[in-house]
């Protein structure tokens, strides 16, 4: 192991650049998957005839597929159908699709946990369905969904490492390149990668535990 060589500034900078890409992909995927998952969760909750069973099948299909397969499909199969995405876009699309399906079930569970009596009281007081959803159901559901959502975002951040298979220059991809320069760099580089992942994920875990303890 060559810690001195692996931890030279050019190599550390290269690892940090990869981690910056990891955080960027994770942040965008969290944003997009939360929007998609919330929309799908609300649609599932409303139980629209015909649409609800169709969404249930699609969501269950996506949730039960390996994320690696979805990444391959978007990056390799879609170009054959006329839609070519670069590694950055393909990674975000795959993570958004997969995590959005996961989040939709969290959202649906949070919405169904709200007492139906409150909903009926809101409707009887003259609030429309959208107003009831916005002012009564969603605020309570979001507070209850916060801990599992944070846990899901932690999983998403770790799942970004799978994008190494499509050569996205995230942290594990850059660690692999350093290994190609010198096999003696691999363990020191992996230690840095592990510490960076741990720092972010542990922080998110603390947030999730505190939210769970406060029962918000």
């Amino acid at each position: 192991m060559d810690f001195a060589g692996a931890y030279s500034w050019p190599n550390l900078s290269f690892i940090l650049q990869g981690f910056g890409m990891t955080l960027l992909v994770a942040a965008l995927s969290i944003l997009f998957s939360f929007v998609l998952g919330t929309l799908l969760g609300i649609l599932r909750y409303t139980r629209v005839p015909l649409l609800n069973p169709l969404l249930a099948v699609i969501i269950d299909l996506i949730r039960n597929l390996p994320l690696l397969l979805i990444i391959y499909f978007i990056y390799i199969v879609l170009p054959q159908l006329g839609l070519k995405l670069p590694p950055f876009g393909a990674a975000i699309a795959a993570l958004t699709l997969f995590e959005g399906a996961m989040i939709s079930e969290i959202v649906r569970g949070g919405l169904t946990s709200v007492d139906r009596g409150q909903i009926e009281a809101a409707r009887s007081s003259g609030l429309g369905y959208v107003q009831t959803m916005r002012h009564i159901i969603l605020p309570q559901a979001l507070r209850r969904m916060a801990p599992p959502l944070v846990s899901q975002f932690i999983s998403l951040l770790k799942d970004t490492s799978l994008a190494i298979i499509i050569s996205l220059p995230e942290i594990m991809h850059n660690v692999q390149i350093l290994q190609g320069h010198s096999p003696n760099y691999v363990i020191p580089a992996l230690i840095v990668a592990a510490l960076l992942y741990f720092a972010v994920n542990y922080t998110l875990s603390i947030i999730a535990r505190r939210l769970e303890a406060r029962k918000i």
Side-chain angles (χ1 to χ4, degrees):
M1 291 182 290
D2 183 4
F3 282 89
Y7 293 161
S8 65
W9 174 243
N11 288 341
L12 282 178
S13 177
F14 188 60
I15 294 173
L16 291 174
Q17 287 175 12
F19 193 58
M21 174 62 72
T22 293
L23 293 179
L24 177 59
V25 170
L28 291 175
S29 299
I30 286 172
L31 174 62
F32 296 148
S33 63
F34 178 73
V35 172
L36 176 62
T38 300
L39 177 61
L40 292 175
I42 291 174
L43 289 175
R44 289 289 316 279
Y45 174 76
T46 55
R47 297 184 178 277
V48 178
L50 298 180
L51 179 61
N52 187 61
L54 177 61
L55 287 177
V57 171
I58 294 174
I59 290 172
D60 285 342
L61 175 63
I62 295 172
R63 290 175 65 235
N64 288 285
L65 289 176
L67 176 56
L68 194 62
L69 178 62
I70 296 175
I71 294 174
Y72 267 130
F73 182 86
I74 290 177
Y75 189 68
I76 297 176
V77 177
L78 287 188
Q80 300 180 28
L81 303 177
L83 180 59
K84 182 175 176 59
L85 293 175
F88 182 78
I92 292 177
L95 286 166
T96 296
L97 186 63
F98 183 77
E99 300 295 341
M102 297 294 188
I103 291 172
S104 70
E105 290 301 291
I106 296 175
V107 171
R108 185 172 69 91
L111 293 174
T112 55
S113 70
V114 177
D115 183 21
R116 298 292 300 182
Q118 297 185 48
I119 301 172
E120 294 170 1
R123 296 302 299 274
S124 63
S125 66
L127 292 179
Y129 181 80
V130 175
Q131 292 175 311
T132 301
M133 178 67 70
R134 178 181 176 184
H135 298 292
I136 305 298
I137 304 175
L138 275 178
Q140 296 184 65
L142 285 172
R143 288 195 294 269
R144 298 174 184 180
M145 290 185 294
L149 281 176
V150 174
S151 297
Q152 192 62 43
F153 295 154
I154 292 173
S155 296
L156 189 155
L157 177 61
K158 291 185 289 187
D159 287 342
T160 58
S161 62
L162 294 175
I164 189 175
I165 64 170
I166 56 175
S167 299
L168 179 74
E170 45 79 51
I171 187 169
M172 296 309 299
H173 174 270
N174 288 6
V175 167
Q176 188 178 54
I177 289 178
L178 287 181
Q179 180 187 7
H181 290 316
S182 173
N184 293 325
Y185 289 170
V186 63
I187 293 180
L190 285 174
I191 291 174
V192 173
L195 289 174
L196 290 171
Y197 273 120
F198 177 80
V200 176
N201 287 331
Y202 186 67
T203 301
L204 292 175
S205 297
I206 292 175
I207 293 174
R209 286 199 296 268
R210 289 183 177 178
L211 291 174
E212 184 69 32
R214 291 171 58 186
K215 296 180 180 180
I216 68 171

